[in-house]
Amino acid sequence: MSLMGLVGSSFGKFLSASNLSQISVREASKKAGGSTRNRCKTTHGKRRGIKVYDGQRVPAGTILVSQYRLQMMPGWNACLGAGLSNIVSTCHGRVIITTERVMPKKEEFDKLLPLRNAAMPDHLLQEKIFRAHIHVIPDEQHQYFKLVEQI
C-alpha cells in the first residue's frame, strides 16, 4: 500500500509524489533550558547599618541599628527588636556608642566541656575581645510638676 492510498483521495491533491520527498520531520537541536540572564541584578539594598549616631537624641521605639548578624550589642535602655537584628531604644534620650572589652567566663565554658570533649585553651583567657555597644542615656526629667493641692 502506498502512502497516497492510506491518506485518502482528499489529501491526494495536496500531497503529490514530488512533495513527499521534501517533507521531513524537524527535531529540536537543543534541549529546552532556562534563561541564562541574571534576573536578580536589580534588587534593592537592605538599608542596614547604624541609623542613629553618637550624640543624637532619639524618642522611645526608634531603630538605632539594623544589622544582619549581631555585630553591635544593645546596651542601657536599648533592646533587640524583631528578628534579633534591630536594636531599638526603650526610652527618650541621647545615644552613646561605646567599645567595651568582653571577658570570657571560664565557668560558662566548663559547662560545655562534656558536650564538646575539649578544654578551654589558655590563650582565650588572655585574648582581648572588644564589642561595640549602643546605649541610650535618658534625658533628665523636667521639674515641671504641680502639687495635688494646687490642681
Side-chain angles (χ1 to χ4, degrees), residues 2-73:
S2 69
L3 181 63
M4 298 296 271
L6 289 174
V7 174
S9 62
S10 62
F11 286 125
K13 324 178 208 186
F14 301 115
L15 297 175
S16 63
S18 63
N19 289 339
L20 286 177
S21 63
Q22 295 174 357
I23 297 176
S24 63
V25 178
R26 182 171 178 167
E27 296 179 3
S29 59
K30 293 181 182 176
K31 293 186 178 179
S35 173
T36 58
R37 285 189 169 194
N38 183 7
R39 295 191 182 270
C40 298
K41 65 183 176 182
T42 58
T43 56
H44 301 293
K46 303 295 182 196
R47 274 82 168 167
R48 292 191 174 117
I50 299 175
K51 306 295 181 193
V52 179
Y53 289 95
D54 200 16
Q56 279 185 290
R57 289 186 182 248
V58 293
T62 304
I63 294 177
L64 305 174
V65 178
S66 176
Q67 55 193 351
Y68 178 64
R69 292 189 179 98
L70 197 60
Q71 297 168 345
M72 291 193 78
M73 304 291 188

Side-chain angles (χ1 to χ4, degrees), residues 67-126:
Q67 55 193 351
Y68 178 64
R69 292 189 179 98
L70 197 60
Q71 297 168 345
M72 291 193 78
M73 304 291 188
W76 303 317
N77 300 316
C79 64
L80 290 173
L84 300 178
S85 60
N86 295 339
I87 298 179
V88 180
S89 67
T90 58
C91 70
H92 296 5
R94 196 176 285 272
V95 174
I96 294 180
I97 299 174
T98 60
T99 303
E100 301 173 12
R101 185 174 178 194
V102 178
M103 301 292 290
K105 296 181 181 177
K106 188 172 170 83
E107 300 83 29
E108 296 296 325
F109 191 83
D110 290 339
K111 292 178 185 176
L112 300 174
L113 285 180
L115 300 175
R116 294 190 178 182
N117 296 327
M120 185 173 190
D122 293 332
H123 67 84
L124 284 181
L125 295 174
Q126 299 169 356

